[in-house]
Amino acid sequence: MSTLLEAAERHIPPGYDPALYKIRHSAAHVMAQAVLEMFPDARIAIGPPIDEGFYYDFDLPRTLTPDDLAHLEGRMREIIRGNFPFTCRAVSMDEAKALFANQPYKQELIQGLAEDDITVYTQDSFTDLCRGPHVAHTGEINPDAIKLLQVAGAYWRGDENQPMLQRIYGTAWRTADELEGYLWRLEEARKRDHRVLGKKLDLFSVNEEVGAGLILWHPKGGIMRKIVEDFWGNEHERGGYDFVYTPHIGKAQLWETSGHLDFYAENMYAPMDIDGQDYYLKPMNCPFHVHIFNSQTRSYRDLPLRFAEKGTVYRYERSGVLHGLLRVRGFTQDDAHHFCRPDQMPAEIDFAVNFSVSMLRAFGFVDFQAYLSTRPEHYVGDLAQWAAAEQALEATLNRVRLPYQMDEGGGAFYGPKIDIKVKDLLGREWQLSTIQFDFNLPERFNLSYVGEDGQAHRPYMVHRALLGSMERFFGVLIEHYGGAFPVWLAPVQVVLIPVTDDVLPYVDQVAARLKAAWIRVQVDDSSSRMNNKIRLAQEQKIPYMLVIGKKEAADGTVSVRLRTEENLGAMNLEAFVARVMNVIEAKEGL
């Protein structure tokens, strides 16, 4: 038994608090028991812990209601107070099939398991196919710190061709205060939902006629994207990157050589026939950058080379997982590839990590958590390469004092990596930057450079995504700031609000002066009342509102209000311009 429990502990994801993981996993089983008591013929699917909670999928005879959730939550508390132990045992495949004879989803899962790797957990009257881990007994779950949140539709295994199930989301914490804090953050997150704010602030949209998962950038979102891309480009140029541009499609042979058609085909779109040959929309930029490296003989003196591209890629995502800007089918990666000599590799990793963190800080992120993923069971490359790469990654994290956790065996088959996550203002972690070694593509494409000895040598290749993708990064930015962007990013930085039409000539002069200083300005010359104009500007989260009446026009001043509702009063126009330019330069809030 102890061996089974020790094995179960290894299934806790890196970065997840082990105690909370077990509480939430156990709460999911308690919820499933309550559901089966309410619907004895229910068909159950899977119920894992997730970030800050858990869910379980069910095939039920009717749609659940809010009253059902309240009833289930009450029954869960009764089960918890029963202090029922969670017992684990290994079973054979035949025994597992018999245990879940009336559960088709469990039968399908069992078929995918190894004969000697099947365990079940039981508490009270409920037994589930599960690898664990769990708490010792239900009493370790605080009945005052659980909450069932909502019901959503979910296709079995995320496949729209499979049955639609009902997914019950819940959360569980150690204490009632922790639950209360989480529910507050949940409400704040709802207010910050980038899909809602994207529409409200007129930043982007998704149109079904265009296609699900394909983003239309509106003018306000477009100018923000341009600002980010201009900053991105300037920083990369200063960082010694060379800019490259590559096609949106490539021949089948390219993707065969790279291995994508062997390992990644399910995420690629169907080929198109061009002159009798198959071409594919690119899911990644890497093979193109490799060919740029290979386009000429490279000397050891040429290295390191850093190729950067904002390359739009296309990946097939099932409709059930599409989510605003965060999960899309066409997106622009801020991609880069470093090619270097083995002796340059530690310095390149230092550079990549420092460069990434510095860039993210410019956007207002200050709280970072890194994850170092090491060699998996199946891998390419030799052990010496892996050891050197892993040591270099860990040494860099220690040098830059970036907090990190080890993800043993979590690397890709082609190399170890560092993932850098940022925490937003609600404390949520977002995966943004990745620095990934690749021992696969240099071999597949036979990359080489001429060393000091005149012989051919294989370079190290490092993938580096900094913002991840423009789409997802903007989703994170919107939710981080709740749409109230710092002045340098705000699509409209200043709105001019004339009190009467008599002052419009002066308003035009003010607008021209602001535009001359490259300050983004909008004039609200509508017939609405002044208070309505101010309220609208605040709803649009415009940083500065300049109210201009006859006195301001006569004095050559502007009356300054902030979106925070603070009234700064009258200010000389040139003093206001200087203030805004200083705030933009410093990349500050207001």
Side-chain angles (χ1 to χ4, degrees):
M1 176 65 72
S2 61
T3 303
L4 289 177
L5 297 179
E6 289 168 3
E9 294 281 339
R10 291 196 290 270
H11 295 303
I12 299 175
Y16 210 125
D17 182 304
L20 276 178
Y21 185 91
K22 288 187 279 191
I23 287 171
R24 290 166 182 163
H25 199 173
S26 304
H29 281 222
V30 171
M31 180 177 71
Q33 177 182 341
V35 170
L36 279 178
E37 290 176 355
M38 181 182 283
F39 302 100
D41 296 327
R43 295 176 173 182
I44 60 176
I46 58 173
I50 54 175
D51 289 348
E52 300 187 312
F54 59 88
Y55 71 78
Y56 212 118
D57 291 343
F58 303 93
D59 194 340
L60 302 174
R62 65 170 174 82
T63 302
L64 292 170
T65 67
D67 287 343
D68 291 328
L69 291 189
H71 172 81
L72 291 169
E73 201 175 286
R75 177 58 185 139
M76 286 176 67
R77 293 192 176 94
E78 293 174 357
I79 297 169
I80 289 168
R81 292 188 176 104
N83 291 326
F84 299 108
F86 281 89
T87 59
C88 172
R89 65 190 179 97
V91 297
S92 68
M93 185 165 290
D94 287 342
E95 188 177 358
K97 289 178 179 178
L99 277 171
F100 300 98
N102 298 319
Q103 294 291 343
Y105 301 109
K106 296 296 182 182
Q107 293 287 337
E108 185 175 330
L109 293 172
I110 291 167
Q111 291 295 334
L113 298 175
E115 173 72 38
D116 59 351
D117 189 32
I118 305 176
T119 55
V120 295
Y121 278 79
T122 300
Q123 93 275 352
D124 191 22
S125 62
F126 180 72
T127 296
D128 202 1
L129 180 72
C130 182
R131 63 186 186 181
H134 290 278
V135 295
H137 56 82
T138 60
E140 291 188 26
I141 306 168
N142 186 338
D144 298 322
I146 61 167
K147 180 72 176 175
L148 297 187
L149 302 170
Q150 63 173 327
V151 179
Y155 290 111
W156 170 235
R157 294 195 156 178
D159 185 348
E160 59 264 36
N161 297 313
Q162 297 278 6
M164 172 69 80
L165 307 177
Q166 294 187 70
R167 175 171 293 179
I168 304 177
Y169 284 99
T171 191
W173 297 83
R174 292 183 181 87
T175 68
D177 286 344
E178 287 180 348
L179 172 62
E180 184 179 350
Y182 170 71
L183 295 176
W184 176 85
R185 293 195 302 274
L186 206 62
E187 176 61 19
E188 282 298 304
R190 186 191 64 78
K191 295 175 184 176
R192 292 166 179 261
D193 189 323
H194 74 279
R195 295 165 298 178
V196 175
L197 288 174
K199 182 177 181 179
K200 180 180 177 181
L201 302 179
D202 196 23
L203 300 174
F204 72 93
S205 63
V206 179
N207 186 287
E208 285 303 313
E209 188 172 349
V210 174
L214 302 174
I215 304 302
L216 300 175
W217 293 81
H218 295 199
K220 289 182 179 178
I223 190 62
M224 281 189 67
R225 176 167 171 167
K226 180 181 182 300
I227 294 161
V228 170
E229 291 185 348
D230 287 349
F231 175 69
W232 182 94
N234 291 337
E235 292 300 301
H236 278 72
E237 189 170 2
R238 278 193 283 267
Y241 283 91
D242 294 311
F243 299 116
V244 297
Y245 297 86
T246 60
H248 289 244
I249 60 174
K251 287 171 61 174
Q253 181 182 346
L254 176 71
W255 308 110
E256 289 167 358
T257 303
S258 69
H260 284 90
L261 286 182
D262 291 329
F263 302 110
Y264 205 73
E266 66 179 17
N267 296 103
M268 297 172 66
Y269 288 98
M272 62 191 86
D273 184 294
I274 300 178
D275 297 332
Q277 297 193 55
D278 283 346
Y279 282 72
Y280 289 84
L281 284 168
K282 65 175 177 179
M284 297 180 184
N285 301 304
C286 328
F288 298 99
H289 292 194
V290 166
H291 273 294
I292 293 173
F293 180 92
N294 255 354
S295 65
Q296 58 182 275
T297 301
R298 305 289 182 179
S299 163
Y300 71 95
R301 296 179 185 275
D302 299 326
L303 303 182
L305 286 174
R306 301 167 183 163
F307 295 156
E309 177 180 18
K310 297 187 295 290
T312 301
V313 299
Y314 306 88
R315 299 180 187 175
Y316 173 65
E317 299 282 2
R318 291 182 169 90
S319 59
V321 301
L322 296 175
H323 184 77
L325 292 170
L326 302 180
R327 197 74 175 264
V328 296
R329 287 174 170 159
F331 56 94
T332 301
Q333 279 190 313
D334 71 317
D335 220 357
H337 292 94
H338 294 224
F339 302 89
C340 65
R341 305 189 308 261
D343 63 290
Q344 296 171 323
M345 180 260 292
E348 280 301 287
I349 300 303
D350 275 14
F351 171 83
V353 170
N354 281 311
F355 187 81
S356 297
V357 170
S358 174
M359 283 276 288
L360 293 173
R361 287 187 189 279
F363 290 100
F365 297 107
V366 296
D367 198 347
F368 302 94
Q369 177 67 49
Y371 295 86
L372 173 53
S373 300
T374 61
R375 178 170 51 86
E377 182 179 354
H378 302 289
Y379 62 93
V380 297
D382 61 53
L383 288 174
Q385 284 181 314
W386 277 86
E390 290 173 1
Q391 289 168 11
L393 292 173
E394 187 165 15
T396 291
L397 291 173
N398 287 321
R399 275 193 293 273
V400 301
R401 298 184 179 180
L402 203 60
Y404 69 96
Q405 295 182 23
M406 300 295 293
D407 180 9
E408 299 290 350
F413 75 93
Y414 51 82
K417 64 174 179 173
I418 292 173
D419 289 324
I420 300 176
K421 295 185 178 182
V422 300
K423 287 187 179 181
D424 67 10
L425 291 177
L426 296 183
R428 298 173 297 177
E429 281 192 349
W430 300 91
Q431 167 65 54
L432 292 180
S433 301
T434 296
I435 296 155
Q436 169 82 64
F437 273 89
D438 192 333
F439 302 130
N440 182 48
L441 290 185
E443 291 291 334
R444 283 179 170 269
F445 286 94
N446 195 29
L447 296 190
S448 67
Y449 66 91
V450 179
E452 285 187 87
D453 57 3
Q455 302 300 309
H457 297 268
R458 189 80 71 213
Y460 276 97
M461 178 179 177
V462 177
H463 304 260
R464 192 238 58 195
L466 198 159
L467 306 180
S469 79
M470 291 297 172
E471 287 73 11
R472 189 169 185 277
F473 183 68
F474 267 89
V476 174
L477 272 184
I478 292 169
E479 299 210 1
H480 178 58
Y481 287 109
F485 305 108
V487 178
W488 77 284
L489 288 175
V492 177
Q493 296 166 321
V494 179
V495 61
L496 305 184
I497 301 175
V499 176
T500 65
D501 289 347
D502 295 344
V503 298
L504 286 176
Y506 177 65
V507 168
D508 289 341
Q509 294 176 30
V510 173
R513 176 67 186 97
L514 295 175
K515 289 177 183 178
W518 293 96
I519 296 171
R520 294 182 291 280
V521 61
Q522 176 181 299
V523 177
D524 185 349
D525 56 2
S526 67
S527 59
S528 296
R529 297 173 62 87
M530 183 184 73
N531 287 341
N532 290 336
K533 293 180 182 182
I534 292 172
R535 186 178 66 254
L536 177 62
Q538 288 172 337
E539 289 175 353
Q540 288 293 299
K541 304 184 187 295
I542 297 172
Y544 299 103
M545 289 151 274
L546 303 188
V547 179
I548 298 175
K550 290 183 178 179
K551 186 175 190 314
E552 286 79 14
D555 296 344
T557 61
V558 290
S559 183
V560 184
R561 294 172 181 256
L562 307 181
R563 65 182 169 209
T564 58
E565 300 186 13
E566 183 180 356
N567 188 346
L568 301 185
M571 187 178 293
N572 176 273
L573 176 58
E574 290 305 317
F576 174 75
V577 169
R579 173 194 174 112
V580 176
M581 291 180 69
N582 287 335
V583 170
I584 292 171
E585 178 68 24
K587 295 182 171 55
E588 295 175 344
L590 292 170

